[in-house]
Amino acid sequence: MLVTLLGTGTSHGVPVLGCNCKTCCSTDRRNHRNRCSAYITVNNVHILIDTPPEFRLQALKNKLKQIDLVLLTHQHSDHVCGFDDLRRFNELQQGIIPVYGSPETVIYMQNMFAYIFNGIEEPGGGKPHLHLESITDKLTFKEIDILPIPLVHGNIQVYGYRIGKFAYVTDFNLMPESSIDLLKDLDVLVLGVLRFRPHPTHLNLEQGLDLIQKIKPQQTWLTHISHDFNHEELETSLPEGVRIGYDGLRIEVREQ
Ligand SMILES: [Zn+2]
Ligand SMILES: [Zn+2]
Ligand SMILES: [Zn+2]
């Protein structure tokens, strides 16, 4: 399994507009973070997690040619506002693309993107063709088991996802014990950790490191990172097995 982190930034992205801090002015490209998404290739199946505002640019940069399945973590703008750009993949693949998320996310998406789901054919066909469906339990897609991981993100419930020895969990301030149980025996965890200070809807670094102690993955990559974290400065102070993700990072995960 190959996982590519297409974007690793918080909702503002980094550099933050109008900010002159050290991270935002850095020339280290690892400090330039587009909004979060990931692309997973497993058994020749290509899975996209989230369609952030820079999705088109991420797809160009990483030369994405195929998307067989889209998994949505939740409906916040920084995770879905590149949704319309899926339509180019309909053309490339000559087919409808399935999209899955939580029941709450699916209802939001139907409202936010009503023109996509209203059943009316537009002249010129200028909208994506998607099969949007909610999941509440394990999804098996082309023999790949995908497990949604329920998480609490302020007032809403969001999903992380586990595929084999890999899991992707971002945008939450609380992980229920029942979800921690779903993340045993992981090789690679991609974990949303926002900044040093506490935040009402995200983990800060201290909370993230505490959670890693409970889950005990072999390796953790942090994502959904604000400009608080300067890549080079922070990476040297993290515990063994915990690293900072960056846009374009490729992670090999063994298949069990
Ligand atoms: Zn977010
Ligand atoms: Zn800044
Ligand atoms: Zn969010």
Side-chain angles (χ1 to χ4, degrees), residues 88-103:
R88 176 58 185 147
F89 291 90
N90 292 133
E91 292 172 8
L92 287 172
Q93 298 162 203
Q94 293 294 306
I96 291 174
I97 299 171
V99 180
Y100 292 93
S102 74

Side-chain angles (χ1 to χ4, degrees), residues 36-251:
C36 284
S37 62
Y39 184 72
I40 300 157
T41 300
V42 51
N43 293 343
N44 215 27
V45 175
H46 307 279
I47 301 169
L48 177 69
I49 303 183
D50 289 338
T51 58
E54 293 94 355
F55 167 58
R56 175 178 166 275
L57 300 175
Q58 295 169 341
L60 281 171
K61 196 166 187 180
N62 292 278
K63 298 183 169 53
L64 305 192
K65 299 259 173 7
Q66 192 169 342
I67 293 170
D68 300 306
L69 173 70
V70 180
L71 301 171
L72 297 176
T73 60
H74 65 306
Q75 62 274 15
H76 283 164
S77 297
D78 56 319
H79 296 260
V80 300
C81 279
F83 200 53
D84 189 272
D85 286 317
L86 288 171
R87 67 193 160 114
R88 176 58 185 147
F89 291 90
N90 292 133
E91 292 172 8
L92 287 172
Q93 298 162 203
Q94 293 294 306
I96 291 174
I97 299 171
V99 180
Y100 292 93
S102 74
E104 184 179 350
T105 295
V106 163
I107 290 168
Y108 264 90
M109 295 300 282
Q110 286 164 338
N111 289 314
M112 284 175 80
F113 295 93
Y115 71 95
I116 297 177
F117 301 110
N118 63 9
I120 300 168
E121 252 332 294
E122 301 285 342
K127 63 181 185 180
H129 290 88
L130 308 169
H131 172 81
L132 177 66
E133 194 175 324
S134 64
I135 49 171
T136 54
D137 209 339
K138 187 178 80 173
L139 166 73
T140 301
F141 181 83
K142 296 189 176 176
E143 298 180 6
I144 297 161
D145 289 337
I146 299 163
L147 196 60
I149 311 293
L151 308 163
V152 178
H153 183 32
N155 292 329
I156 66 170
Q157 191 202 58
V158 311
Y159 277 170
Y161 293 98
R162 177 177 185 153
I163 302 172
K165 299 276 189 182
F166 168 76
Y168 183 92
V169 290
T170 183
D171 287 63
F172 66 97
N173 52 295
L174 186 82
M175 180 180 286
E177 287 295 328
S178 53
S179 292
I180 292 175
D181 290 343
L182 299 175
L183 296 176
K184 299 285 181 230
D185 195 26
L186 283 179
D187 278 5
V188 176
L189 174 69
V190 174
L191 175 68
V193 168
L194 186 72
R195 64 185 190 188
F196 296 110
R197 287 172 293 133
H199 187 281
T201 66
H202 291 275
L203 297 186
N204 69 356
L205 182 61
E206 190 183 348
Q207 292 164 326
L209 294 177
D210 283 350
L211 185 61
I212 291 166
Q213 293 279 325
K214 288 188 187 170
I215 296 174
K216 298 187 188 349
Q218 300 273 325
Q219 186 183 47
T220 303
W221 292 92
L222 307 184
T223 192
H224 212 285
I225 302 162
S226 82
H227 58 165
D228 271 19
F229 293 175
N230 185 283
H231 192 102
E232 197 174 1
E233 278 179 16
L234 181 62
E235 184 142 272
T236 50
S237 65
L238 290 175
E240 203 185 328
V242 183
R243 311 263 320 258
I244 307 175
Y246 53 88
D247 293 18
L249 171 70
R250 290 171 166 224
I251 309 164

